[in-house]
Amino acid sequence: MQTIMTQSKVETVMTIKVLYFASLRELFGREEQALDCADIETVADVWKEVSAGYEVSQSVLNSVNQEYAELDTPVKAGDEVAFFPPVTGG
Amino acid sequence: MQTIMTQSKVETVMTIKVLYFASLRELFGREEQALDCADIETVADVWKEVSAGYEVSQSVLNSVNQEYAELDTPVKAGDEVAFFPPVTGG
Amino acid sequence: MVTITETPFDPWQTISQYQEQMQCDGEFGACATFVGTMRDMNEGDEVNGMLLEHYPGMTEKHLESIVANAEEKWGLLDTLVVHRVGELFPNDPIVLVAVWSAHRKDSFEACRFIMEDLKSKAPFWKKESLSEAEQQAGKNRWVENNTSGY
Amino acid sequence: MVTITETPFDPWQTISQYQEQMQCDGEFGACATFVGTMRDMNEGDEVNGMLLEHYPGMTEKHLESIVANAEEKWGLLDTLVVHRVGELFPNDPIVLVAVWSAHRKDSFEACRFIMEDLKSKAPFWKKESLSEAEQQAGKNRWVENNTSGY
């Protein structure tokens, strides 16, 4: 997961990539955003930053770096965090 | 199952059709025979008549008129009785 | 539909053709299938060929009653059972069961139920040829029991 | 093999072609498959179309881990999973799972396990268009939960 970067590129990585899918994408009116990672320690912190006051409920699932995660899962710069409703494939 | 017959044909129906399949067909050296139904009341009676002393075992299954049957299932003239080993299809 | 055939069949083409003439387009959300194929090994021995014997009449009746039982027990839209008889060779499809239903639980359970009932009760018997030499010498062996599928 | 595709696929032709290039001829005695197809009704409403959204990257990874789990749990010879995304219409195949094994118990159980895990955890989301008028008005509905398959 770690790559050697030039000093000028370090800045771009000091963010967390946040993705939204399905009804949450429509609710938030966006599918992706870059979040400054200052003061972010967990998925719950990410949610608080991006959700504009929406309560997190059982029907909001999340993942960190494309693996299912919990609200207390740690998040660091460069991570990809996603929020989405219960899945309905198949 | 019943048809109107001329007197001359009644005689042909006073038999039981006995069929053998798979290893039992090979053991008995025949696949079919007509058995006089005198003194035949059950599948066990049929077996005694045709088996030339072979013991009936758990690995001999039977049917009467193409439905699974037991040794004490009644058998009458015109019936089709079959003996066969455990099935191995599929 | 239940079919017993001496002719080799392609299971996927058979399902595809059967499905095309079905009258429940848009209704079925689920199709579970099972295809049994002849292997070239059994009980540790190489198998070169197989003779599949059945009880004409009783076999068809029994398979039709299995299908009727499954259709009564689960909500099925259509069911197809094809079983090969006669002379078979390794890699030949032996049996095909395909079950269509609105929801997946029904087709999964019915497909397995039909296969287990077929294996344990439908009057078919397999005789294996273990090698060409044995085959020519008529030294084949009857398969004695099917293993349980549960 | 796991494939996500925006292109409509014929499940039977897909299985047939996949099986032809498999390297286990003579070894597999059993193949259990499941095909999920789009119905024209859901929860009592007529459905005209569907948008199937997924999480590119995570979806593939998750399906591959389901397959790896199944292959570890049962003795499988090969596994194929195909899932459609994008715009779908009634009667379109949505998902295909095919599992090959030596004996039937393994393929039956693994096929159902893969489908249940896929339905409950793989990141796909369905949005239904209930009528052409609603579709034009952008009034579609997200499917909220998959029903249990057990």
Side-chain angles (χ1 to χ4, degrees):
Chain A
M1 296 297 287
Q2 294 202 328
T3 52
I4 297 163
M5 283 168 283
T6 62
Q7 197 65 17
S8 66
K9 282 195 183 160
V10 169
E11 206 74 32
T12 48
V13 155
M14 297 305 284
T15 56
I16 292 156
K17 183 178 177 183
V18 189
L19 303 175
Y20 309 94
F21 291 96
S23 55
L24 281 175
R25 176 174 47 69
E26 291 184 352
L27 181 70
F28 286 2
R30 55 183 180 262
E31 60 185 36
E32 184 175 335
Q33 71 183 106
L35 187 69
D36 190 312
C37 67
D39 306 321
I40 300 285
E41 288 181 6
T42 65
V43 171
D45 296 335
V46 175
W47 179 262
K48 201 185 291 173
E49 283 290 324
V50 301
S51 63
Y54 284 115
E55 287 288 317
V56 69
S57 75
Q58 277 200 316
S59 63
V60 177
L61 307 180
N62 66 77
S63 63
V64 174
N65 298 329
Q66 306 190 354
E67 302 273 356
Y68 277 100
E70 305 291 335
L71 285 172
D72 60 2
T73 301
V75 173
K76 62 182 192 311
D79 282 351
E80 177 177 302
V81 177
F83 296 104
F84 45 83
V87 303
T88 55
Chain B
M1 294 293 286
Q2 294 201 327
T3 53
I4 297 163
M5 285 168 281
T6 63
Q7 196 65 19
S8 67
K9 281 194 181 162
V10 169
E11 206 75 31
T12 47
V13 154
M14 298 304 285
T15 57
I16 292 156
K17 184 177 176 183
V18 189
L19 304 175
Y20 309 94
F21 291 97
S23 54
L24 281 175
R25 176 174 47 70
E26 291 184 351
L27 182 71
F28 285 4
R30 54 181 180 264
E31 59 186 36
E32 184 175 337
Q33 73 182 105
L35 188 68
D36 191 312
C37 66
D39 306 324
I40 300 287
E41 287 181 6
T42 65
V43 171
D45 297 335
V46 176
W47 179 262
K48 202 185 289 170
E49 284 291 324
V50 301
S51 64
Y54 284 115
E55 287 287 318
V56 69
S57 75
Q58 277 202 316
S59 64
V60 177
L61 307 180
N62 66 75
S63 63
V64 174
N65 297 331
Q66 306 190 355
E67 302 273 356
Y68 277 99
E70 304 293 333
L71 285 171
D72 60 2
T73 300
V75 174
K76 61 182 192 310
D79 281 353
E80 177 176 302
V81 177
F83 296 104
F84 45 83
V87 304
T88 54
Chain C
M1 193 175 79
V2 169
T3 306
I4 311 282
T5 176
E6 286 199 41
T7 313
F9 67 97
D10 177 324
W12 315 116
Q13 206 181 344
T14 305
I15 299 172
S16 180
Q17 283 171 359
Y18 186 79
Q19 193 174 280
E20 266 172 40
Q21 58 74 51
M22 277 169 34
Q23 301 296 316
C24 51
D25 273 17
E27 287 180 66
F28 64 86
C31 176
T33 79
F34 180 84
V35 177
T37 301
M38 188 181 159
R39 295 185 307 139
D40 55 16
M41 292 288 286
N42 194 23
E43 294 175 25
D45 297 309
E46 206 176 310
V47 183
N48 286 306
M50 191 164 77
L51 267 173
L52 234 161
E53 186 173 332
H54 76 304
Y55 183 166
M58 179 165 171
T59 308
E60 291 83 346
K61 276 169 62 176
H62 189 81
L63 293 178
E64 273 155 19
S65 84
I66 295 175
V67 169
N69 288 347
E71 288 182 341
E72 194 187 312
K73 192 164 174 183
W74 290 279
L76 307 182
L77 291 162
D78 215 327
T79 307
L80 173 64
V81 177
V82 181
H83 203 294
R84 189 70 192 284
V85 291
E87 193 178 15
L88 279 86
F89 297 98
N91 225 34
D92 276 4
I94 302 170
V95 62
L96 154 63
V97 175
V99 177
W100 288 264
S101 60
H103 300 286
R104 70 192 185 283
K105 179 178 171 23
D106 296 318
S107 60
F108 267 129
E109 291 182 358
C111 184
R112 195 166 182 186
F113 168 86
I114 290 169
M115 266 310 296
E116 293 314 311
D117 204 341
L118 183 156
K119 299 271 301 187
S120 64
K121 296 197 199 121
F124 292 103
W125 301 274
K126 283 175 184 161
K127 188 175 197 176
E128 294 175 337
S129 309
L130 297 187
S131 73
E132 275 182 49
E134 284 172 310
Q135 199 166 353
Q136 279 161 9
K139 286 171 64 184
N140 302 318
R141 72 172 177 199
W142 290 100
V143 178
E144 294 197 340
N145 269 300
N146 272 335
T147 49
S148 167
Y150 283 109
Chain D
M1 191 175 80
V2 169
T3 306
I4 311 281
T5 175
E6 286 199 41
T7 312
F9 66 98
D10 177 324
W12 315 115
Q13 205 181 347
T14 305
I15 299 172
S16 181
Q17 284 172 359
Y18 187 79
Q19 192 174 279
E20 265 172 40
Q21 57 75 50
M22 276 168 34
Q23 302 297 313
C24 51
D25 273 15
E27 287 179 68
F28 64 87
C31 176
T33 79
F34 181 83
V35 177
T37 301
M38 188 182 158
R39 295 185 305 139
D40 56 17
M41 291 288 286
N42 195 24
E43 294 174 25
D45 297 308
E46 206 176 310
V47 182
N48 286 307
M50 192 165 76
L51 266 173
L52 234 162
E53 185 173 334
H54 76 305
Y55 183 166
M58 178 166 172
T59 307
E60 292 82 346
K61 277 169 62 176
H62 189 82
L63 293 176
E64 272 154 20
S65 84
I66 295 175
V67 169
N69 288 347
E71 289 183 341
E72 193 187 313
K73 192 163 174 185
W74 290 280
L76 307 183
L77 291 162
D78 214 326
T79 307
L80 173 64
V81 178
V82 180
H83 203 294
R84 190 70 192 285
V85 291
E87 193 179 13
L88 279 85
F89 296 98
N91 225 34
D92 276 4
I94 302 170
V95 61
L96 154 64
V97 175
V99 177
W100 287 265
S101 60
H103 300 286
R104 69 191 185 284
K105 181 180 173 17
D106 296 318
S107 60
F108 268 129
E109 292 183 357
C111 184
R112 195 167 182 186
F113 168 86
I114 290 169
M115 265 311 295
E116 294 313 311
D117 205 341
L118 183 156
K119 297 271 301 187
S120 64
K121 295 197 199 121
F124 292 102
W125 301 274
K126 283 176 182 158
K127 188 175 197 176
E128 295 175 336
S129 309
L130 297 187
S131 72
E132 276 183 48
E134 284 171 310
Q135 202 166 351
Q136 279 163 7
K139 284 171 64 186
N140 303 316
R141 72 173 178 201
W142 290 100
V143 178
E144 293 198 340
N145 268 300
N146 273 333
T147 49
S148 169
Y150 282 109

